[in-house]
Amino acid sequence: MKNLLTTLVLLAIVSLTYAQKMDNKNLEQRVNAIEDKMAIKEVVDVFSNLADTKEIDKQVLLFTEDGVVESITNGQSNVLKGREQLKQAFSGFLSNFQIVYHQKGQQTIDELTENTAKTTSYCRVILVGELDGKQMKTTLYTIYNDSFVKQDDKWLIAHRTSNFVWREVEEVN
């Protein structure tokens, strides 16, 4: 009887120890996932901030070296590839505006692995610039679908599809 009791106590201790290790591993995985999600959100937010301040040199570093941006407007697609092409296109586009302002909306992380992620983000982009001698405000309603990769422990955008779903243009004083 004494041996049976000792065996049961040992089994209970082993089970609890194993369960605690499993909980710790599960907790570590959950913490890592939360940290990754926060880091991914940070990349998307910093992208918008750098666009607003027209710091394109820094902005393109948020993409992989061969990063791709596909812009869709009225069903027409334009594809840019590589940091240099992104830099030229972003700089050229933003040079048309004195004010650039991103208002971020909801973001979901649709898929997350140890080294890849897919996200959907909503954004309203407000652009103010001169056109034909008039101050014009253009508001773009945009959905970004991003594919991320983790390189050297840093999340980068590998592919962004920018779907400009609605555009409003109005004269401002």
Side-chain angles (χ1 to χ4, degrees), residues 76-92:
Q76 301 294 320
S77 179
N78 181 40
V79 178
L80 304 168
K81 185 172 183 183
R83 287 180 178 160
E84 190 56 39
Q85 196 174 39
L86 295 175
K87 180 180 172 182
Q88 290 173 4
F90 292 172
S91 296

Side-chain angles (χ1 to χ4, degrees), residues 41-60:
K41 182 181 180 342
E42 178 80 3
V43 171
V44 174
D45 290 346
V46 168
F47 173 90
S48 294
N49 291 351
L50 293 172
D52 293 350
T53 57
K54 299 183 182 182
E55 295 178 75
I56 309 307
D57 289 341
K58 293 179 183 176
Q59 189 183 41
V60 296

Side-chain angles (χ1 to χ4, degrees), residues 23-24 26-27 33 51 53 66 86 93 122 127 137 148-149 151 153:
D23 285 343
N24 286 343
N26 189 16
L27 179 62
T53 57
D66 61 348
L86 295 175
F93 178 73
Y122 284 71
L127 308 163
K137 178 177 87 169
F148 285 84
V149 295
Q151 293 180 348
D153 213 32

Side-chain angles (χ1 to χ4, degrees), residues 3-168:
N3 286 340
L4 179 61
L5 186 56
T6 303
T7 303
L8 289 175
V9 168
L10 285 174
L11 279 174
I13 291 171
V14 168
S15 295
L16 288 174
T17 303
Y18 179 75
Q20 186 176 13
K21 284 182 183 179
M22 290 302 293
D23 285 343
N24 286 343
K25 184 176 181 184
N26 189 16
L27 179 62
E28 182 180 335
Q29 288 171 335
R30 292 184 1 228
V31 168
N32 287 340
I34 291 167
E35 288 174 342
D36 285 339
K37 288 178 179 184
M38 290 177 67
I40 290 165
K41 182 181 180 342
E42 178 80 3
V43 171
V44 174
D45 290 346
V46 168
F47 173 90
S48 294
N49 291 351
L50 293 172
D52 293 350
T53 57
K54 299 183 182 182
E55 295 178 75
I56 309 307
D57 289 341
K58 293 179 183 176
Q59 189 183 41
V60 296
L61 295 177
L62 299 172
F63 290 85
T64 59
E65 193 69 41
D66 61 348
V68 173
V69 173
E70 178 181 1
S71 298
I72 302 170
T73 305
N74 297 326
Q76 301 294 320
S77 179
N78 181 40
V79 178
L80 304 168
K81 185 172 183 183
R83 287 180 178 160
E84 190 56 39
Q85 196 174 39
L86 295 175
K87 180 180 172 182
Q88 290 173 4
F90 292 172
S91 296
F93 178 73
L94 293 179
S95 70
N96 296 309
F97 305 100
Q98 293 82 41
I99 297 171
V100 179
Y101 191 83
H102 285 71
Q103 293 178 314
K104 302 279 288 66
Q106 66 271 29
Q107 179 190 47
T108 57
I109 298 189
D110 307 313
E111 184 180 305
L112 179 64
T113 70
E114 189 175 325
N115 294 308
T116 64
K118 292 183 188 278
T119 68
T120 303
S121 305
Y122 284 71
C123 186
R124 179 166 56 176
V125 182
I126 299 166
L127 308 163
V128 179
E130 192 172 307
L131 178 65
D132 298 327
K134 298 176 183 175
Q135 278 293 99
M136 302 299 288
K137 178 177 87 169
T138 302
T139 305
L140 304 170
Y141 298 86
T142 309
I143 302 170
Y144 297 119
N145 294 104
D146 294 329
S147 294
F148 285 84
V149 295
K150 196 177 206 181
Q151 293 180 348
D152 298 323
D153 213 32
K154 184 176 178 182
W155 286 100
L156 298 171
I157 303 168
H159 188 280
R160 166 169 277 187
T161 301
S162 304
N163 188 358
F164 298 98
V165 295
W166 187 254
R167 176 187 184 113
E168 296 173 349

